[in-house]
Amino acid sequence: MAALNERWHKPTRSGNNGQCVEARFVDGVVEVRNSNAPDAGSVRFTRAEWETFIAAVDTDGEFRLP
């Protein structure tokens, strides 16, 4: 995923199976939501929380913030 911004983004490797999460970077936080239920709300992470999470799961830098 390129740099996050106010638009929602799906990971490039999620394919088109409809079972994805979407993320965006807005107002200094990262929001994550279920793409199947976008109106159900989102969870919010500080940049530090997001970077800690990504460091644990990201192997190729796809989800790094600029």
Side-chain angles (χ1 to χ4, degrees), residues 1 10-17 20 58-60 62-63:
M1 171 170 15
K10 291 180 187 176
T12 56
R13 294 186 181 169
S14 66
N16 291 321
N17 64 12
C20 307
D58 191 17
T59 59
D60 60 9
E62 181 178 8
F63 299 103

Side-chain angles (χ1 to χ4, degrees), residues 21-52:
V21 296
E22 296 175 311
R24 69 180 180 174
F25 184 67
V26 63
D27 296 330
V29 299
V30 176
E31 290 186 286
V32 179
R33 71 180 183 182
N34 180 341
S35 66
N36 288 332
D39 295 327
S42 62
V43 292
R44 299 179 74 162
F45 301 94
T46 65
R47 186 180 185 121
E49 290 169 332
W50 184 253
E51 290 294 337
T52 299

